[in-house]
């Protein structure tokens, strides 16, 4: 038993089993990590396409991250994240053996896995992590996989080996041409579509990448599924923070998604809503970095 | 009757409104001992105390007031707790004017006894005197201690049901999806109306009865209901509340700057965004805030926005003040704090700039119709009359729906046409061994009615278990 002093000075006692220990930490890109944590209940029910929510500490934000791998027997889950703000920064500073404050999952509707024929997997940046379990399941369902993996440069490519193993062909795209082919994921798609008769595409990555890649799919007449990543709070359908517009209707991505028909998504709305707290987040992050001595004092901008 | 002149109904002090609007401190300060004694003096000690009939959990009102009269404050608190495990909460948030105080006999000739404030007084007194809440004797070696009961949701319904079952000697586990217990008491009702230390104290009391609390467990996602049976829980109580926010379904409602009250209040209360960046969850600070709705939730959102630093906060309600469902005390406080009330207007469109950030709201002007068969006057549009209010932040508080996360994942559970769980007054559902109560059965209601439902269900669960075991084994 642990005893923790709550914010209001009232003692809390917690059982060990309520803690979520970090078993493994691996740096997989200059800006990102892969973690393996103990979360037996999440591992027990996880399915491809689902995510979970974590909190780093008592004052922390709830952030959603996609489930990459899970092991029922050892009760662990894997996830990959890139450092972009305060919470992911704090997360990146945790070490093997440390504990996360809260872990809730699995959440969201699992992917609808079926046989399509040839499926194109279009992954941008850390979208590759979210793609991996879906790729496994699609492969198991008998699909032929063609993967197009994109990143800004060689160092930022993640899970290439794992995805390569599942695919009959992989196109690696880098923005700067430091590895593979110079270009974006949508350029890779155009190449692939000349070689393969693509029945369906999965598109996962930053919203802006999904927007343009889906447009390319539409031009080529390829039906597609995307995994949306709006800002979430509870992630259980209670608040409406994650609302997205698909086919003219409002959905809550955390319970109705995160996967939707990409051609129906209102991308501009998603992009607008994703940047809603940009100033606040920047302010919070800079204040935090300044306190840590990473940024010189007095340089941060007011929110 | 004594000839002594009856004292006037006592009113507790509030912190000055200038201080109020810049902090999240609790507004009403509660009775002093002197005020409590004067107020208790007013009770007529009726032979047939009607007040008790007005209370959904039948708090022994007359008895506890008598104990206050005798200055036995701790005993008064204990007396209340025989029926109500959360007196400090109810004394603060019950709509007393519609419940116990409405039927108080004194209300016929004078103002009713301030039952709620007295209840709060007794509970607060106890909290001040005793570090740990006093707990009734739980039989340590109850033969039922090996019978496991699961409670889903740690709102007032779940907490009450858990407390009662623990007192009967069962082994109770609460599964809660959020990272804090308390339900709406924690994520909905703001600090200035219900300090979170009070909720935590009450939750700790329930834990001290031996109830186990499993946070971060969303039933229907983390575990399915039937897996709880597989894990040896003999009966299950569902008290998951009415969590899904209703949307207006009008153009523009997904623009940046439009919150549902659930999101706004969850960010502020559960995630403590009012302490941002000390806490990590951000919240938008509006200049001109418009809150749409007229209930407790709308008022809580409006008063929160004011405290966060809004220049003006307007409540837009489509009926008139008479129909407002919010507690009278809250409406008074909101007025004092400078919240603007606009009645008989209903939003038709949200207007936004090029970046899709809210700039204004277009309203349809309304009027009340002639009373219909039920005597209710409905708001109807005044043809062609519109008004646009500038707003950079809007909060919609127009009600909630049943959260489908759990109800949709339980095979064989009967729901009504609105998606709420069908249950009788003892919480019995269409599934054997599954009970339900609170907002997930009635739709959004009150703290105390959810508690009443939790209590009734605890009784029904007891009956169910006894019946089941009379056949199998004797206890
Ligand atoms: C279903 C889902 C799955 C995701 N899976 C992954 C993943 O596998 N790997 C990964 O690196 N990232 C993933 N994300 C994004 C990840 O949640 C954000 O990067 C993270 O919340 C950023 O937090 P921060 O405090 O470090 O940055 P902040 O400074 O708070 O935010 C930076 C940006 O991240 C986004 N963001 C912030 N808060 C949230 C929030 N609570 N929910 C969603 N987005 C937010 C916003 O666009 C914001 O502008 C996923 C998001 C969703 C919704
Ligand atoms: C802002 C606001 C102000 C209010 N003010 C008042 C007031 O002044 N007076 C009054 O009497 N009433 C008030 N109410 C109403 C009152 O709070 C509710 O009627 C009452 O809380 C309902 O209790 P409950 O136990 O049914 O559900 P809730 O309090 O909603 O609790 C349900 C709990 O279940 C959890 N849960 C949901 N789904 C799952 C799942 N799948 N698995 C596990 N856990 C789950 C939720 O996280 C939550 O903690 C207010 C409500 C709001 C929103
Ligand atoms: S619990 Fe609520 S209704 Fe019952 S006596 Fe107390 S204040 Fe009145
Ligand atoms: S009805 Fe009013 S006066 Fe009578 S016992 Fe109850 S509180 Fe006292
Ligand atoms: S994140 Fe709250 S409803 Fe989806």
């Amino acid at each position: 038993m642990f005893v923790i002093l709550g914010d209001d000075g009232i003692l809390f006692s917690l059982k060990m089993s309520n803690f979520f220990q970090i078993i493994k930490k691996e740096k997989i890109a200059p800006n990102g990590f892969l973690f393996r944590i103990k979360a037996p209940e999440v591992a027990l029910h996880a399915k491809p396409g689902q995510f979970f929510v974590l909190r780093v500490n008592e004052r922390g934000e709830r952030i959603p991250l996609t489930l990459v791998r899970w092991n029922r027997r050892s009760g662990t889950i894997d996830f990959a994240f890139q450092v972009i703000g305060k919470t992911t920064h704090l997360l990146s500073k945790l070490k093997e053996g440390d504990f996360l404050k809260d872990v809730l999952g699995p959440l969201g509707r699992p992917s609808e896995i079926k046989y399509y024929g040839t499926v194109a997997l279009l992954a941008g940046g850390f979208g590759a992590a979210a793609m991996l379990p879906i790729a496994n399941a699609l492969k198991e369902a008998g699909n032929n996989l063609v993967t197009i993996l994109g990143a800004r440069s060689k160092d930022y490519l993640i899970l290439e080996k794992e995805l390569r193993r599942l695919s009959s062909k992989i196109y690696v795209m880098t923005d700067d041409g430091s590895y593979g082919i110079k270009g974006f994921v949508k350029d890779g798609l155009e190449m692939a579509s000349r070689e393969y008769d693509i029945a369906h595409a999965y598109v996962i990555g930053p919203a802006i990448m999904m927007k343009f890649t889906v447009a390319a799919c539409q031009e080529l007449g390829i039906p597609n599924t995307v995994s949306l990543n709006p800002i979430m709070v509870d992630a259980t359908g209670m608040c409406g923070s994650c609302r997205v517009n698909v086919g003219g209707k409002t959905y809550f991505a955390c319970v109705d998604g995160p996967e939707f028909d990409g051609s129906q998504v209102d991308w501009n709305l998603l992009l607008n809503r994703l940047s809603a707290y940009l100033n606040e987040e920047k302010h919070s992050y800079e204040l935090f970095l300044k306190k840590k001595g990473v940024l010189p004092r007095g340089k941060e901008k007011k929110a | 009757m004594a000839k002594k002149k009856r004292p006037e109904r006592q009113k507790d002090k509030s912190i000055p409104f200038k201080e109020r609007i810049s902090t999240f401190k609790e507004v009403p300060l509660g009775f002093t001992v002197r005020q409590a004694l004067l107020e208790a003096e007013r009770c007529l000690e009726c032979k047939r105390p009607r007040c008790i009939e007005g209370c959904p959990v039948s708090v022994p009102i007359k008895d506890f007031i008598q104990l206050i009269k005798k200055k036995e404050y701790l005993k008064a608190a204990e007396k209340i707790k025989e029926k109500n495990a959360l007196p400090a909460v109810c004394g603060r948030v019950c709509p007393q004017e519609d419940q116990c105080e409405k039927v108080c006999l004194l209300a016929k000739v004078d103002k009713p006894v301030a039952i709620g404030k007295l209840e709060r007084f007794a509970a607060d007194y106890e909290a001040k005197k005793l570090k740990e809440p006093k707990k009734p004797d739980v039989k340590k070696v109850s033969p039922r201690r090996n019978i496991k009961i699961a409670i889903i949701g740690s709102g007032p319904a779940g907490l009450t049901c858990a407390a009662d079952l623990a007192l009967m000697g069962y082994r109770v586990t609460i599964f809660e999806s959020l990272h804090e217990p308390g339900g709406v008491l924690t994520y909905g009702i703001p600090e200035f109306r219900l300090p979170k230390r009070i909720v935590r104290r009450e939750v700790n009391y329930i834990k001290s009865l031996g109830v186990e609390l499993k946070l971060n467990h969303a039933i229907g996602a983390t575990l399915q209901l039937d897996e709880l049976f597989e894990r040896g829980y003999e009966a299950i109580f569902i008290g998951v509340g009415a969590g899904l926010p209703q949307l207006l379904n009008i153009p523009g409602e997904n623009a940046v700057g439009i919150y549902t009250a659930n999101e706004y209040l969850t960010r502020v209360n559960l995630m403590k965004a009012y302490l941002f960046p000390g806490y990590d969850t951000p919240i938008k600070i509006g200049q001109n805030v418009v809150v749409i709705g007229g209930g407790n939730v709308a008022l809580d959102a409006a008063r929160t926005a004011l405290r966060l630093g809004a220049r003006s906060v307007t409540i837009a309600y489509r009926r008139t003040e008479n129909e407002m469902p919010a507690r009278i005390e809250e409406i008074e406080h909101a007025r004092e704090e400078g919240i603007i009330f606009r009645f008989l207007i209903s939003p038709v469109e949200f207007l936004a700039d090029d970046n899709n950030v809210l700039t204004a709201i277009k309203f349809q002007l309304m009027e009340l119709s002639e009373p219909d068969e039920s005597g209710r006057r409905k708001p109807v549009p005044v043809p062609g009359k519109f008004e646009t209010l500038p707003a950079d932040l809007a909060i919609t508080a127009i009600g909630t729906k049943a959260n489908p996360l759990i109800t949709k994942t339980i095979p064989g559970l009967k729901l009504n046409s609105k998606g709420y769980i069908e249950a009788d007054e003892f919480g019995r559902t269409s599934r054997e061994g599954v009970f339900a109560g609170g907002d997930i059965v009635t739709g959004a209601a009150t703290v105390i009615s959810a508690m009443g439902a939790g209590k009734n269900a605890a009784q029904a669960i007891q009956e169910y278990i006894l019946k089941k075991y009379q056949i199998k084994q004797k206890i």
Side-chain angles (χ1 to χ4, degrees):
Chain A
M1 290 273 272
F2 270 82
V3 177
I4 289 182
L5 195 62
D7 288 339
D8 43 15
I10 293 178
L11 285 177
F12 253 123
S13 55
L14 290 164
K15 281 211 192 109
M16 260 313 263
S17 64
N18 288 350
F19 282 106
F20 304 95
Q21 192 170 30
I22 299 166
I23 305 294
K24 200 172 100 184
K25 174 184 178 182
E26 192 186 329
K27 187 158 184 166
I28 54 171
N31 62 339
F33 295 85
L34 190 115
F35 274 29
R36 172 163 301 163
I37 62 165
K38 197 99 181 157
E41 304 275 39
V42 184
L44 191 60
H45 295 87
K47 291 195 187 63
Q50 288 190 301
F51 65 96
F52 72 104
V53 166
L54 66 75
R55 252 175 20 124
V56 173
N57 60 36
E58 192 57 49
R59 294 170 175 237
E61 216 177 345
R62 295 166 70 94
I63 67 157
L65 295 166
T66 308
L67 289 160
V68 178
R69 274 185 294 241
W70 46 90
N71 187 320
R72 280 182 197 155
R73 226 163 337 115
S74 59
T76 57
I77 56 172
D78 290 7
F79 60 91
F81 65 96
Q82 57 178 329
V83 178
I84 58 166
K86 182 171 172 188
T87 308
T88 45
H89 182 104
L90 284 169
L91 193 58
S92 74
K93 294 297 170 205
L94 296 179
K95 299 185 292 290
E96 287 176 3
D98 286 350
F99 294 92
L100 296 176
K101 177 71 181 59
D102 297 290
V103 169
L104 167 68
L107 300 169
R109 289 177 25 187
S111 308
E112 281 173 33
I113 301 294
K114 57 180 176 190
Y115 176 77
Y116 293 101
T118 297
V119 182
L121 306 179
L122 312 174
F126 270 69
M131 194 66 92
L132 190 62
I134 299 170
N136 270 314
L138 284 169
K139 177 88 185 168
E140 235 166 72
N143 290 288
N144 176 41
L145 304 182
V146 176
T147 298
I148 297 129
L149 193 59
R152 66 180 104 140
S153 74
K154 180 169 189 270
D155 295 345
Y156 289 84
L157 281 166
I158 62 165
L159 300 172
E160 183 197 343
K161 205 172 69 215
E162 288 81 351
L163 285 164
R164 187 181 288 280
R165 204 182 304 135
L166 295 167
S167 317
S168 53
K169 171 116 190 196
I170 185 163
Y171 299 79
V172 179
M173 317 294 297
T174 50
D175 299 359
D176 63 358
S178 54
Y179 181 69
I181 309 160
K182 183 172 158 64
F184 298 117
V185 170
K186 68 176 173 60
D187 305 321
L189 172 66
E190 274 152 27
M191 285 185 246
S193 69
R194 285 195 287 271
E195 264 183 71
Y196 294 91
D197 186 14
I198 298 167
H200 196 87
Y202 261 85
V203 187
I204 308 182
I208 191 77
M209 169 265 175
M210 291 195 279
K211 175 182 173 176
F212 288 113
T213 312
V214 162
C217 286
Q218 273 172 284
E219 258 172 50
L220 296 163
I222 304 171
N224 58 80
T225 305
V226 296
S227 179
L228 300 184
N229 55 354
I231 294 178
M232 298 185 174
V233 182
D234 64 299
T236 61
M238 192 195 82
C239 75
S241 162
C242 62
R243 48 196 202 275
V244 292
N245 188 308
V246 183
K249 272 182 72 181
T250 297
Y251 291 95
F252 289 4
C254 67
V255 284
D256 301 325
E259 288 182 7
F260 293 96
D261 174 357
S263 56
Q264 301 288 313
V265 173
D266 181 340
W267 293 103
N268 290 340
L269 182 75
L270 178 68
L271 286 162
N272 282 327
R273 289 186 65 87
L274 273 171
S275 54
Y277 297 97
L278 231 48
N279 285 333
E280 288 85 354
E281 281 151 0
K282 211 168 150 218
H283 176 59
S284 159
Y285 195 25
E286 284 176 354
L287 209 66
F288 167 75
L289 293 176
K290 194 187 73 171
K291 257 201 207 139
K292 293 235 139 192
V294 179
L295 275 187
R297 286 181 185 252
K299 256 197 101 179
E300 91 279 12
K301 288 203 189 83
K302 264 262 156 21
Chain B
M1 285 262 28
K3 297 270 138 16
K4 217 169 37 170
K5 197 167 164 275
R6 195 168 37 236
E8 263 185 42
R9 179 173 159 121
Q10 299 296 306
K11 210 167 170 343
D12 60 342
K13 281 213 178 108
S14 298
I15 57 172
F17 77 92
K18 278 230 178 79
E19 184 183 344
R20 254 191 244 173
I21 56 176
S22 55
T23 73
F24 276 74
K25 276 196 210 141
E26 186 175 16
V27 172
L29 294 170
F31 282 160
T32 60
V33 174
R34 208 181 80 89
Q35 281 180 309
L37 284 171
L38 281 172
E39 187 60 34
E41 211 46 60
R42 297 179 70 234
C43 171
L44 308 171
E45 297 181 19
C46 305
K47 276 230 173 59
R48 200 185 126 232
R50 300 192 44 204
C51 51
I52 300 178
E53 291 161 33
C55 169
V57 296
S58 314
V59 165
I61 298 171
K62 180 172 123 183
D63 296 351
F64 97 74
I65 294 183
Q66 264 178 343
L67 285 166
I68 292 182
K69 273 190 207 172
K70 290 192 212 143
K71 304 193 178 174
E72 307 244 33
Y73 309 124
L74 288 175
K75 284 208 178 123
E78 251 178 84
K79 192 84 206 157
I80 302 169
K81 282 208 278 194
E82 282 175 11
K83 293 286 181 181
N84 178 350
L86 311 171
V89 174
C90 292
R92 287 173 165 80
V93 305
C94 260
Q96 293 98 6
E97 64 264 24
D98 295 325
Q99 295 177 337
C100 52
E101 294 180 18
K102 185 177 182 180
V103 289
C104 166
L105 194 67
L106 197 56
K108 291 222 158 99
V109 291
D110 190 353
K111 286 184 181 145
V113 176
I115 301 168
K117 292 281 181 200
L118 285 173
E119 189 169 320
R120 170 180 167 176
F121 169 78
D124 286 2
Y125 186 89
E126 190 201 55
K128 232 182 280 163
K129 288 288 159 194
L130 307 177
K131 259 219 179 84
E132 293 257 315
K134 200 164 169 218
K135 59 178 164 185
D137 290 331
V138 195
K139 281 195 212 83
K140 278 268 150 46
V141 282
S142 158
R144 299 187 195 117
R145 77 184 194 289
N146 283 326
I147 296 180
K148 298 203 296 177
I149 315 265
I151 309 280
I152 309 175
S154 65
L159 288 175
T160 309
C161 190
D164 279 19
L165 287 166
L167 287 173
M168 292 174 196
Y170 292 100
R171 243 172 81 192
V172 184
T173 306
I174 302 180
F175 295 88
E176 165 59 49
S177 64
L178 293 172
H179 59 261
E180 291 264 5
V184 170
L185 307 181
T186 296
Y187 76 72
I189 304 179
E191 182 75 19
F192 56 82
R193 208 145 70 72
L194 180 62
K196 298 308 154 223
R197 76 184 139 75
I198 287 167
V199 181
R200 195 166 277 181
R201 187 183 157 89
E202 307 271 14
V203 169
N204 279 348
Y205 163 70
I206 286 164
K207 281 207 265 187
S208 77
L209 302 177
V211 172
E212 184 190 14
L213 191 57
K214 280 185 182 262
L215 302 173
N216 296 311
H217 277 73
I219 305 304
T222 310
L223 288 172
Q224 299 300 323
L225 180 111
D226 282 307
E227 284 174 285
L228 295 176
F229 283 124
E230 285 162 26
R231 290 184 182 199
Y233 293 96
E234 306 266 356
I236 298 171
F237 174 77
I238 306 173
V240 294
L244 201 74
Q246 212 134 36
L247 299 176
L248 283 158
N249 290 317
I250 59 173
E253 75 178 330
N254 295 328
V256 173
I258 306 173
Y259 287 102
T260 68
N262 270 18
E263 181 186 351
Y264 192 73
L265 293 171
T266 301
R267 278 179 183 273
V268 175
N269 300 324
L270 179 71
M271 306 310 298
K272 301 205 164 38
Y274 65 96
L275 300 172
F276 181 85
Y279 279 69
D280 294 341
T281 304
I283 186 96
K284 290 266 160 216
I285 312 292
Q287 291 283 312
N288 296 306
V289 179
V290 175
V291 180
I292 294 155
N296 282 321
V297 185
L299 281 165
D300 282 346
R303 296 174 66 200
T304 299
L306 196 75
R307 282 162 174 77
L308 285 173
R311 207 167 42 202
S312 89
V313 181
T314 305
I315 286 191
Y317 182 49
R318 65 195 173 114
R319 304 171 194 265
T320 71
E321 179 158 2
N322 292 330
E323 287 84 20
M324 274 182 86
R327 293 181 69 223
I328 291 171
E329 189 185 11
E330 308 317 327
I331 301 176
E332 274 172 21
H333 283 149
R335 274 243 160 71
E336 287 166 14
E337 289 164 14
I339 307 252
I340 303 158
F341 287 83
R342 291 293 314 269
F343 297 108
L344 294 168
I345 58 176
S346 176
V348 288
E349 187 180 357
F350 291 105
L351 308 169
D353 66 13
D354 293 345
N355 294 320
N356 206 12
V357 176
L358 180 71
T359 54
I361 311 171
K362 185 174 168 191
F363 286 93
Q364 162 83 61
L365 303 193
M366 313 291 280
E367 62 190 357
L368 289 184
S369 68
E370 291 301 313
D372 59 14
E373 310 90 70
S374 64
R376 212 168 131 88
R377 301 181 70 189
K378 273 207 294 239
V380 290
V382 186
K385 291 259 181 173
F386 296 94
E387 184 178 339
T388 300
L389 298 181
D392 56 351
L393 204 132
I395 304 165
T396 60
I398 55 160
T400 48
K401 292 187 284 192
N403 188 332
L405 184 64
I406 184 139
T407 54
K408 282 231 176 100
T409 55
I410 305 175
L413 187 70
K414 249 208 200 122
L415 308 179
N416 68 17
S417 58
K418 288 183 171 159
Y420 293 106
I421 299 175
E422 259 186 34
D424 69 9
E425 63 176 309
F426 286 96
R428 290 178 281 240
T429 70
S430 59
R431 280 273 315 257
E432 196 191 319
V434 179
F435 300 77
D439 284 4
I440 191 58
V441 170
T442 54
T446 59
V447 171
I448 195 67
S449 56
M451 291 177 60
K455 256 191 150 31
N456 289 346
Q459 282 304 329
I461 289 173
Q462 161 88 320
E463 269 169 40
Y464 168 77
I465 297 282
L466 288 180
K467 214 161 141 200
K468 192 168 159 185
Y469 276 82
Q470 260 154 21
I471 312 162
K472 276 203 204 156
Q473 71 181 75
K474 282 211 169 116
I475 35 175

